[in-house]
Amino acid sequence: MIREIFLRSNMLGLMQNKQLLVSSIIDFADKNYGDVEIISKVNKTEKFIYNYSEATNRIKKLIQALNKLGLKKGDRVATLAWNDHRHFELYYAISSMGGVLHTINPRLFEEQIIYIANHAEDKILFFDESFSSLICNISKKLLTIDHYVIMQSHKSNPGIKLENLLSYENIIDQKNIDIEWPQFKEDDACSLCYTSGTTGNPKGVLYSHKSTLLHAWATATPDTLGISSSSVVMPVVPMFHANAWGLVYAAPMSGSKLVLPGSEMDGKSIYEIINDEGITISAGVPTVWLMLLNYMDEIKGSIDTVKNLVIGGSAAPKSMIKDFFEKYNVTVLHAWGMTEMSPLGTVSRLLPKHSKLSYEEKLNLSAKQGRAIFGVEMIITDDDGKLMPRDGSSFGNLKVRGPWITERYFKEDEPIVDKEGWFNTGDVATIDSDGFMQITDRSKDVIKSGGEWISSIDLENIAIGHEKILEACVIGIKDFKWDERPLLLVIKDKKSELTKKEVLDFFVGKVAKWWIPDDVVFVNELPHTATGKLLKSKLRDEFKGYKINN
Ligand code: ADP
């Protein structure tokens, strides 16, 4: 009996111990969807068109080239690039040969780029030719780079003065070769992405092959983004922003046609490529979709092939979800995540039982950030760590854990998870009984008024629903009596008149009276972080000591 229990408790499964490696994705696409197209916009007018098999060929040549450049397992390789086919090839070649792909956000300040390239100890830097002058400006301060590689269509030297400069097309200009994909452990690192660090220095999130694969798998499933061989996928979210939300892995894994839109993110360019290529699903931050909506309004356009737009990175305003549905028959999938989470955590999709809800109720649910995807556990707690109820109204600190959520930052000794493995996201949220999570605020942005919390995001969403308001931001202003009170900053449509009173009246009946902002300031622009989020810390500094005037 004892022997039986012993045997049972030690019984391992007898399955093959095949490691989950990034190379398996592109290898699978090559063998099973070889003729499926990749469309890459290389400049305003030109596209580069090829397929998964041709891409795999170039990836293998790139692996050879990286080997020749002396890249060793675990070495970091930086990219400063847009969403195009070369960046796609780098994604696969670097990770597949055992290196670590380090995507750098070119919208960061020069000092931040220098900091993270040195912190990561990048050995090679691949850069799009549009970043040539940036690289020339900072190269002296990049202390660990042995080679620079310019990503351009022609092989000739672009005429810039940079030591150790190579050209992408030159280094992969070699005979077709068939290599065996290098094998290593699935827990080995495959890529590195720094959070934009609105406070303090950026922090590196180091993904493993396994976490990347599992995340992509989960992303593709029907109730997540629902990606398949009939999808035409276009990540508008940059490939330097949290792995383009996993789409550059999920698309080849699913055999979808992949469209890489290059550097043009304006409404017209996005509109044209959507219609030219028959995009069925795309993903990006609200700002991009706002530009598309404005452009379509202007030209009375339509985007008939699009079934879903994934909106995340910042809250998708309800008015945007409504516009896309009512005017263009597009269902928005509101999603939430973080660089630390690979990044996807939740998606808002209605359940079958919601079919009976009214249109308005459905809209309200779709505007929430949604339900955890399989693999992500999610709770809310109070400041003492006590679990808060899933009642849809109690706010708490949002904590997550799972196999694609980071445990510690690159080169940091201290884990960022608690004893039970929970990572505190820094977001404040509610969760309802069906598991729909709604972000109320970033914990540092929530407005604490008279001991209660006011959600700046809710107020911004209402303001942006006003037809004469283009962008809105709410920050807390010190108040003698209430501790903090909300101040609303708005960019109004230049063509129309708008008064403070009109703006404030717009809130009446939509929120509790004490939530209504105390004052409105009309501004010409609002500052954003490198990932397009409102830079509230800057605004709080700027409006420190502001006297409410109403
Ligand atoms: P950054 O490098 O700019 O911090 P992240 O993508 O890691 O970029 O930012 C993650 C944060 O973005 C989340 O913690 C949350 O505050 C915010 N966020 C992401 N998606 C949403 C969303 N759908 N609604 C509201 N906030 C969001």
Side-chain angles (χ1 to χ4, degrees):
M1 180 67 180
I2 289 176
R3 190 178 123 80
E4 205 173 286
I5 292 172
F6 175 80
L7 273 179
R8 237 187 268 150
S9 62
N10 280 285
M11 193 172 292
L12 292 178
L14 295 175
M15 307 311 283
Q16 298 181 10
N17 192 18
K18 170 91 178 123
Q19 300 292 290
L20 303 175
L21 301 183
V22 164
S23 55
S24 66
I25 301 178
I26 198 67
D27 185 51
F28 177 76
D30 174 30
K31 291 183 175 136
N32 299 284
Y33 298 102
D35 60 352
V36 174
E37 278 181 333
I38 303 176
I39 313 283
S40 161
K41 190 124 179 259
V42 282
N43 57 40
K44 269 198 164 69
T45 51
E46 273 175 284
K47 286 175 190 161
F48 179 84
I49 300 175
Y50 67 159
N51 61 34
Y52 283 125
S53 280
E54 287 163 329
T56 308
N57 248 331
R58 282 170 55 97
I59 288 165
K60 287 180 176 170
K61 291 180 186 178
L62 189 52
I63 290 179
Q64 290 286 98
L66 292 170
N67 279 326
K68 278 190 198 148
L69 290 176
L71 199 75
K72 299 269 172 316
K73 187 155 178 298
D75 281 350
R76 273 77 68 197
V77 179
T79 61
L80 265 169
W82 302 111
N83 292 14
D84 69 5
H85 64 290
R86 293 190 189 92
H87 207 178
F88 176 82
E89 290 158 8
L90 284 161
Y91 255 62
Y92 283 95
I94 296 167
S95 303
S96 298
M97 59 97 56
V100 177
L101 162 83
H102 173 203
T103 52
I104 302 184
N105 184 344
R107 296 186 186 128
L108 292 171
F109 298 121
E110 284 186 6
E111 287 313 312
Q112 286 175 310
I113 296 179
I114 295 164
Y115 170 85
I116 62 174
N118 287 337
H119 186 266
E121 297 175 64
D122 295 324
K123 288 270 187 294
I124 308 177
L125 195 160
F126 284 82
F127 63 98
D128 187 271
E129 61 179 329
S130 57
F131 301 123
S132 300
S133 60
L134 165 71
I135 298 297
C136 289
N137 282 347
I138 63 173
S139 66
K140 289 266 172 312
K141 294 185 182 161
L142 302 178
L143 306 175
T144 59
I145 309 278
D146 296 329
H147 304 280
Y148 292 89
V149 186
I150 187 161
M151 297 157 75
Q152 58 183 8
S153 304
H154 49 97
K155 292 179 192 160
S156 56
N157 189 308
I160 57 171
K161 280 210 174 70
L162 199 59
E163 270 172 49
N164 303 324
L165 178 65
L166 302 162
S167 150
Y168 189 98
E169 293 301 326
N170 253 334
I171 63 168
I172 65 163
D173 186 11
Q174 40 188 304
K175 277 205 287 312
N176 272 355
I177 28 136
D178 203 21
I179 57 159
E180 290 288 315
W181 297 108
Q183 295 298 308
F184 28 81
K185 293 264 178 287
E186 60 191 15
D187 287 324
D188 287 343
C190 71
S191 62
L192 174 66
C193 188
Y194 282 72
T195 61
S196 44
T198 23
T199 53
N201 277 327
K203 300 189 179 59
V205 178
L206 189 63
Y207 309 97
S208 68
H209 284 259
K210 181 170 80 185
S211 71
T212 303
L213 223 88
L214 292 178
H215 174 263
W217 230 327
T219 302
T221 52
D223 273 345
T224 309
L225 303 190
I227 293 170
S228 75
S229 59
S230 1
S231 310
V232 180
V233 178
M234 178 167 76
V236 171
V237 49
M239 288 166 75
F240 52 75
H241 189 189
N243 309 313
W245 300 352
L247 290 176
V248 278
Y249 300 112
M253 183 183 258
S254 314
S256 329
K257 169 172 161 181
L258 179 65
V259 180
L260 300 167
S263 61
E264 317 283 320
M265 302 284 163
D266 59 288
K268 182 172 187 282
S269 306
I270 295 298
Y271 177 80
E272 285 172 357
I273 196 159
I274 283 179
N275 282 311
D276 288 352
E277 300 303 334
I279 304 300
T280 62
I281 179 165
S282 184
V285 295
T287 330
V288 171
W289 304 121
L290 190 64
M291 291 192 285
L292 177 66
L293 279 175
N294 288 342
Y295 181 71
M296 290 201 292
D297 249 8
E298 216 176 287
I299 62 154
K300 306 274 167 289
S302 63
I303 41 172
D304 300 337
T305 54
V306 179
K307 292 195 182 76
N308 293 125
L309 288 180
V310 185
I311 308 189
S314 306
K318 196 164 122 188
S319 54
M320 182 177 280
I321 299 174
K322 202 171 151 154
D323 270 5
F324 271 118
F325 188 69
E326 290 178 6
K327 297 186 186 162
Y328 305 104
N329 200 22
V330 168
T331 302
V332 165
L333 300 176
H334 192 190
W336 165 86
M338 305 179 78
T339 305
E340 286 86 342
M341 299 175 68
S342 295
L344 205 58
T346 65
V347 178
S348 204
R349 271 193 193 264
L350 302 192
L351 295 167
K353 68 177 179 186
H354 296 134
S355 61
K356 293 193 192 74
L357 294 182
S358 71
Y359 175 64
E360 202 53 34
E361 286 169 321
K362 284 183 189 162
L363 206 57
N364 286 339
L365 264 187
S366 309
K368 291 191 175 195
Q369 277 72 9
R371 289 149 38 86
I373 61 180
F374 175 72
V376 173
E377 284 181 89
M378 192 167 75
I379 52 168
I380 43 172
T381 73
D382 66 12
D383 285 342
D384 300 324
K386 200 169 118 274
L387 207 60
M388 310 274 286
R390 290 184 161 220
D391 58 11
S393 59
S394 310
F395 296 10
N397 300 308
L398 182 63
K399 297 179 179 172
V400 289
R401 65 181 180 193
W404 54 79
I405 297 168
T406 196
E407 190 201 43
R408 73 188 70 210
Y409 291 117
F410 184 46
K411 293 188 173 175
E412 299 280 333
D413 293 331
E414 283 302 306
I416 51 169
V417 296
D418 65 17
K419 280 198 204 75
E420 284 83 42
W422 293 107
F423 165 61
N424 190 344
T425 62
D427 287 329
V428 175
T430 61
I431 303 180
D432 73 13
S433 54
D434 284 323
F436 280 84
M437 183 273 286
Q438 182 159 32
I439 300 277
T440 318
D441 235 320
R442 277 295 240 190
S443 53
K444 52 186 184 306
D445 295 337
V446 78
I447 295 149
K448 293 179 178 126
S449 178
E452 301 284 343
W453 288 3
I454 298 175
S455 157
S456 66
I457 293 188
D458 280 0
L459 297 179
E460 285 157 11
N461 279 345
I462 293 171
I464 205 83
H466 192 292
E467 57 179 5
K468 295 180 187 168
I469 293 181
L470 298 181
E471 201 178 354
C473 177
V474 173
I475 53 169
I477 294 291
K478 278 274 158 257
D479 183 274
F480 178 69
K481 185 169 170 199
W482 301 107
D483 186 19
E484 275 185 344
R485 289 296 301 153
L487 170 69
L488 171 64
L489 310 169
V490 293
I491 303 179
K492 65 175 178 181
D493 184 351
K494 288 213 170 53
K495 286 176 262 160
S496 32
E497 292 298 312
L498 185 64
T499 64
K500 266 188 197 185
K501 184 169 177 320
E502 264 180 85
V503 176
L504 293 176
D505 284 350
F506 191 63
F507 285 89
V508 176
K510 296 190 177 86
V511 284
K513 231 170 155 186
W514 59 276
W515 272 45
I516 298 180
D518 277 10
D519 202 355
V520 183
V521 179
F522 293 103
V523 292
N524 290 326
E525 53 180 9
L526 288 165
H528 291 93
T529 67
T531 49
K533 296 181 185 36
L534 286 163
L535 190 49
K536 295 196 180 179
S537 53
K538 182 155 185 255
L539 290 167
R540 276 193 289 266
D541 281 351
E542 214 171 286
F543 286 87
K544 207 175 194 168
Y546 179 83
K547 292 273 169 300
I548 299 291
N549 179 15
N550 57 6

